[in-house]
Amino acid sequence: MPSTAIRNMHYDRSTRILSIWFVPSGDRYDYDEVEPETYAAFKAAPSKGRFFNEFVRDRYRFHLVEHGRRH
């Protein structure tokens, strides 16, 4: 999953929480109530950063879960 903006992501279908680790901070944010179809499209997107900006950012409630190594 090479991306200059997103280091890693994980989706929990049972809670519908999308966890995203960002580059370069390594911070992890959880996004609530993300539909499985949105995650599938995100996973398949050629540009993770572009998809995130267009379809996730500012569309879902989120919270910081952990700071990365740079903090």
Side-chain angles (χ1 to χ4, degrees):
M1 189 199 95
S3 172
T4 58
I6 296 170
R7 182 190 306 168
N8 198 5
M9 63 182 161
H10 176 265
Y11 184 67
D12 185 327
R13 285 186 175 270
S14 63
T15 61
R16 295 173 47 144
I17 291 176
L18 173 62
S19 300
I20 301 177
W21 288 260
F22 289 93
V23 174
S25 69
D27 290 351
R28 173 186 157 197
Y29 286 85
D30 281 0
Y31 292 81
D32 300 326
E33 298 301 321
V34 176
E35 299 83 3
E37 299 80 14
T38 300
Y39 173 66
F42 191 14
K43 196 171 160 185
S47 171
K48 305 300 187 242
R50 188 173 296 132
F51 186 94
F52 172 79
N53 287 332
E54 190 169 339
F55 298 105
V56 179
R57 173 187 249 156
D58 300 328
R59 293 180 183 244
Y60 297 95
R61 191 178 63 189
F62 66 92
H63 58 278
L64 176 65
V65 175
E66 64 185 43
H67 286 293
R69 287 181 254 201
R70 296 191 73 188
H71 296 276

